[in-house]
Amino acid sequence: MKSVFNYILIAFLIISGNSFAQQTPASEQSEAVTIVGATAHLGNGEVIENSLIIFENGKLTQVMDATTTKMQYRGQIIEAEGKHVYPGFIAPNSTLGLVEIAAVRPTLDQDEIGEILPNVRSLIAYNAESKIVESMRPNGVLMGQIVPRGGLVSGTSSIVQFDAWNWEDAVVKEDDGLHINWPEAYSRGRWWRGEDPNLKPNKEYTEEIQKLADFFNEAKAYLAGDQDYTNLPYEAMEAVFSGDKKVFVHVNGEKEILDAIQFKKDQNLDGFVIVGGYHATGVARQLKENEVPVLVNRPHSTPDMAYEDYDYPYKLAKLLQDEGVLVGLESSGQMERMNTRNLPFYAGTVAAFGMDKEEALQLITLNTAKILGIDDNYGSLEKGKSATLFISEGDALDMRTNRLTRAFIDGREISLESHQTELWKRYSEKYENQETKESE
């Protein structure tokens, strides 16, 4: 009994030690803000070397070249010569705010029991005070799509901004998409259990796809009829069939992608997005013809196949873009919540392997906003859009120079402090003091 109590106490201390609230969310914008002299990277491929940016009431009212205008400055003036301004970066396909401590089960809200769960909504489980979410902001990642995991149909995602009191304040687009984990046509045996590790056909592949098709057809029949009972999974599909909710299919293989595109046609689905798409280059023509965009997984990985170029993951986004496919970057995988803060540096890697720097920037700004359906208000610095942006001392896609000095979400100036920045300052002072003593 004493042993059980000790385990409970340790778990409580771990949770309480990591549950301190994040920085207090910013208040609504109270006066206009004018940023002068910065190099503005608009997120749509354009750059203004000497920019004038004005925003008030959370909206951009002017984005122009300061050398060609006599526009009167308004409100608070930020002199930003030598610095760079960017739209806030957007992290799609993320589980931020759904898991705080992987080793503590009560903090895991990314997966629910069941196989087909379109009615599961990630938004209501989102923890706006997550310390991990807070650590995104110093790198310019200011928004994200919060996605459930697991099963054949994981559930419904929502898009949030990363400076809020609760999920109600955080939401940017509620229930934006349904997430499907497409079955694999081939599988490998578990070598650690003595199984053949080579690729072999998945005998249940066709059955799994049929199960998915049956569910979609049953949901259509339910919604078309006059039922005297309520079926929540079927009810959740109404927005999918109307096109108000996008369908995100997590899939990597060529055959699987082609089968997913056929499923899109059979079910007459709009807003269809491939997530992952590791082998999508082989079916890029079909993706373009069917107007299916791809959220490519982070490039910091090794090739899956022995015959692939060593730098294939680095240049995958460019290869697809060159074929006319709309591409964005996502960061799921091992330690994905922590690694999401590296999103701008993933884009920097893509630029280092052939893509134009401003086009690489679009992978985490306007392209992603288009794929998520929020480009009317986010993703680029354009008049009338949200003033969600940040100022950096250098190139935001370079981890050496991306040092934020100011950041705004919907015009509200947010804190850039986090547990990590506090530790950085603490230990910087420690070693600075140590160096001073040694030099005396």
Side-chain angles (χ1 to χ4, degrees):
M1 186 69 182
K2 184 177 180 181
S3 168
V4 173
F5 174 79
N6 287 339
Y7 280 123
I8 295 174
L9 179 61
I10 291 172
F12 173 79
L13 291 174
I14 292 173
I15 295 172
S16 62
N18 286 273
S19 63
F20 299 114
Q22 66 174 47
Q23 301 297 320
T24 301
S27 302
E28 294 296 320
Q29 184 179 4
S30 59
E31 65 172 332
V33 175
T34 300
I35 303 174
V36 187
T39 298
H41 304 262
L42 305 190
N44 59 5
E46 299 178 23
V47 178
I48 302 176
E49 296 294 343
N50 180 20
S51 67
L52 172 65
I53 298 174
I54 303 176
F55 56 92
E56 51 188 317
N57 298 321
K59 296 290 184 180
L60 292 161
T61 57
Q62 299 294 336
V63 179
M64 60 180 63
D65 191 332
T67 60
T68 61
T69 181
K70 295 183 180 180
M71 175 67 64
Q72 186 175 359
Y73 300 170
R74 292 178 54 78
Q76 179 188 4
I77 299 172
I78 301 175
E79 299 287 350
E81 290 83 357
K83 297 181 180 180
H84 299 257
V85 178
Y86 295 85
F89 299 149
I90 307 169
N93 188 34
S94 170
T95 54
L96 285 166
L98 299 183
V99 177
E100 196 68 10
I101 308 169
V104 181
R105 183 65 185 87
T107 73
L108 308 183
D109 288 318
Q110 66 177 353
D111 191 1
E112 285 291 341
I113 297 173
E115 191 173 19
I116 299 180
L117 301 168
N119 53 309
V120 166
R121 304 171 65 229
S122 65
L123 181 61
I124 59 174
Y126 174 69
N127 176 19
E129 292 197 345
S130 165
K131 297 181 75 173
I132 305 173
V133 169
E134 180 182 68
S135 71
M136 300 297 113
R137 302 190 310 224
N139 278 0
V141 182
L142 305 183
M143 301 174 62
Q145 179 195 40
I146 309 306
V147 178
R149 297 279 192 254
L152 187 59
V153 178
S154 301
T156 299
S157 61
S158 289
I159 302 167
V160 300
Q161 50 85 5
F162 294 153
D163 183 65
W165 289 99
N166 47 49
W167 64 262
E168 292 96 331
D169 293 339
V171 65
V172 169
K173 187 173 183 180
E174 188 171 343
D175 298 337
D176 73 292
L178 181 75
H179 290 260
I180 297 173
N181 297 303
W182 197 263
E184 293 184 357
Y186 300 91
S187 62
R188 293 183 184 275
R190 296 165 292 185
W191 59 266
W192 59 91
R193 298 188 64 176
E195 298 174 356
D196 181 5
N198 295 315
L199 279 174
K200 52 185 177 295
N202 178 7
K203 297 179 181 178
E204 299 178 356
Y205 180 68
T206 302
E207 180 183 334
E208 289 291 302
I209 295 177
Q210 188 59 51
K211 183 186 299 183
L212 186 63
D214 289 344
F215 172 76
F216 271 65
N217 294 331
E218 290 166 5
K220 286 178 181 178
Y222 169 89
L223 294 169
D226 185 16
Q227 307 294 343
D228 57 358
Y229 67 97
T230 298
N231 185 301
L232 292 179
Y234 292 161
E235 295 276 354
M237 295 297 292
E238 184 172 9
V240 172
F241 299 137
S242 68
D244 294 331
K245 186 185 294 185
K246 296 200 174 191
V247 178
F248 295 84
V249 179
H250 300 243
V251 59
N252 286 299
E254 286 186 18
K255 172 178 170 49
E256 291 91 333
I257 293 173
L258 289 176
D259 288 342
I261 292 175
Q262 186 60 49
F263 183 82
K264 169 189 183 299
K265 295 177 181 178
D266 293 342
Q267 298 294 334
N268 192 28
L269 299 173
D270 294 325
F272 202 80
V273 180
I274 296 297
V275 181
Y278 183 83
H279 295 289
T281 52
V283 293
R285 178 179 58 81
Q286 292 87 340
L287 290 167
K288 180 183 178 182
E289 289 175 353
N290 290 278
E291 299 181 339
V292 176
V294 178
L295 288 171
V296 174
N297 193 226
R298 62 191 187 209
H300 290 184
S301 61
T302 55
D304 282 354
M305 302 295 179
Y307 60 80
E308 292 172 342
D309 294 343
Y310 79 93
D311 56 355
Y312 176 75
Y314 306 150
K315 61 186 182 183
L316 174 57
K318 183 181 187 304
L319 292 173
L320 289 173
Q321 179 178 273
D322 289 346
E323 294 294 329
V325 178
L326 178 62
V327 182
L329 279 184
E330 56 103 2
S331 58
S332 63
Q334 188 176 23
M335 301 180 72
E336 65 180 70
R337 286 166 294 280
M338 178 195 75
N339 282 317
T340 299
R341 70 179 70 124
N342 292 324
L343 186 66
F345 313 136
Y346 297 151
T349 296
V350 174
F353 281 80
M355 185 177 286
D356 175 79
K357 179 66 73 70
E358 298 306 317
E359 291 180 351
L361 175 65
Q362 288 181 256
L363 298 178
I364 56 176
T365 54
L366 188 56
N367 282 14
T368 296
K370 288 179 178 179
I371 292 171
L372 299 184
I374 57 173
D375 55 301
D376 59 336
N377 204 30
Y378 297 94
S380 60
L381 302 178
E382 299 178 69
K383 184 177 179 179
K385 287 193 174 185
S386 168
T388 298
L389 52 90
F390 64 89
I391 303 173
S392 174
E393 291 182 358
D395 182 354
L397 305 191
D398 181 355
M399 67 173 62
R400 297 169 302 173
T401 60
N402 184 26
R403 294 190 177 185
L404 273 63
T405 57
R406 313 285 282 269
F408 302 84
I409 294 179
D410 295 327
R412 302 176 295 110
E413 183 165 13
I414 65 172
S415 170
L416 293 174
E417 294 298 320
S418 70
H419 182 60
Q420 282 76 18
T421 60
E422 291 173 1
L423 288 174
W424 172 66
K425 291 177 181 178
R426 175 184 175 187
Y427 285 97
S428 292
E429 292 175 359
K430 172 186 176 182
Y431 289 108
E432 285 174 3
N433 294 335
Q434 183 174 323
E435 289 177 359
T436 301
K437 290 180 180 179
E438 290 177 352
S439 62
E440 289 179 348

